Amino acid sequence: MDLSTLLIFIPTFFFVSITPGMCMTLAMTLGMTIGLRRTFWMMLGEMIGVGIVAVLAVLGVAAIMLRYPDVFTLLKWLGGSYLGYLGIQMWRSRGKMAIPEKIEQQAQVSPWQLATQGLVTAIANPKGWAFMISLLPPFIQADKALPLQLSVLVGIILISEFVCMTLYATGGKTLRLFLNKSGNVRLLNRISGTLMIGVGIWLIST
């Protein structure tokens, strides 16, 4: 792949990963309640789910782009609009992606349950699908082999996800005191929501 493409792709998807959402909130919550070491099991399941979503998004959208370019444009508008909606919900501290006012102690669960939780969260994450469908296909170059490109890009995505989830989980215990104050929770949700709205507008305008 072109170096210039990778230099754009890496920071773009690092921003996507670091943006608070269902998976990052889950990592932070588990980091607070069960510790970083056990949270790694959830991360494993989440990365498998993200890889599945990325591959399906590229293969499906690539086929649509070739046959029905107008449909791809519609999907981009829908994806951007949905991200804007999620951003508004986060700004209002509502919806599943917003950080809850009170983070409850998690019950003892097995590694298998944690991995399954991460897998299901990643696959059911609307933010993940919206970003993958809207952002990933433009980085695929038609004149180069798809399997190799997809392997490199998905590898970068998974590394970004792992680094960001580790940061969230590691900071979980420190954030416990900060997030105990509801005003701070609302502020973080509003910052995250504003970023999400901005990304939604950017997706529609590209």
Side-chain angles (χ1 to χ4, degrees):
M1 295 184 64
D2 295 337
L3 179 60
S4 58
T5 301
L6 291 177
L7 290 177
I8 297 174
F9 181 82
I10 292 173
T12 297
F13 269 84
F14 183 81
F15 168 75
V16 170
S17 296
I18 202 69
T19 302
M22 293 172 64
C23 295
M24 295 303 150
T25 301
L26 177 60
M28 183 178 65
T29 302
L30 293 178
M32 290 180 181
T33 56
I34 66 175
L36 176 62
R37 185 175 60 85
R38 297 191 64 212
T39 303
F40 280 135
W41 289 104
M42 183 282 295
M43 295 183 191
L44 175 63
E46 192 271 351
M47 288 190 292
I48 294 173
V50 168
I52 293 173
V53 171
V55 172
L56 292 179
V58 169
L59 296 180
V61 173
I64 293 175
M65 288 175 64
L66 291 175
R67 296 186 180 183
Y68 311 104
D70 291 338
V71 175
F72 175 70
T73 301
L74 176 62
L75 288 175
K76 187 171 69 170
W77 272 82
L78 291 175
S81 299
Y82 188 65
L83 288 177
Y85 166 76
L86 292 177
I88 293 173
Q89 290 290 88
M90 292 174 69
W91 205 89
R92 301 173 64 191
S93 294
R94 295 181 179 180
K96 293 182 178 180
M97 293 182 65
I99 298 173
E101 293 286 344
K102 294 182 179 179
I103 300 177
E104 300 177 352
Q105 184 75 18
Q106 296 288 312
Q108 292 296 319
V109 290
S110 68
W112 171 255
Q113 289 175 311
L114 289 169
T116 301
Q117 186 178 19
L119 175 66
V120 172
T121 301
I123 293 178
N125 185 4
K127 174 192 136 183
W129 283 99
F131 274 121
M132 295 299 180
I133 290 175
S134 302
L135 286 179
L136 193 51
F139 287 97
I140 300 294
Q141 297 171 298
D143 60 335
K144 292 181 173 60
L146 178 60
L148 181 58
Q149 291 185 81
L150 192 54
S151 298
V152 172
L153 296 179
V154 171
I156 293 172
I157 291 171
L158 295 184
I159 292 172
S160 295
E161 286 286 306
F162 178 76
V163 170
C164 294
M165 283 192 294
T166 300
L167 291 174
Y168 272 81
T170 302
K173 291 185 178 181
T174 303
L175 285 173
R176 180 194 292 271
L177 296 176
F178 179 80
L179 293 177
N180 278 339
K181 299 180 180 180
S182 61
N184 290 335
V185 175
R186 287 194 294 270
L187 176 62
L188 187 58
N189 277 329
R190 289 183 176 184
I191 293 173
S192 303
T194 301
L195 290 173
M196 189 72 72
I197 293 170
V199 173
I201 294 173
W202 181 77
L203 291 179
I204 291 175
S205 62
T206 55

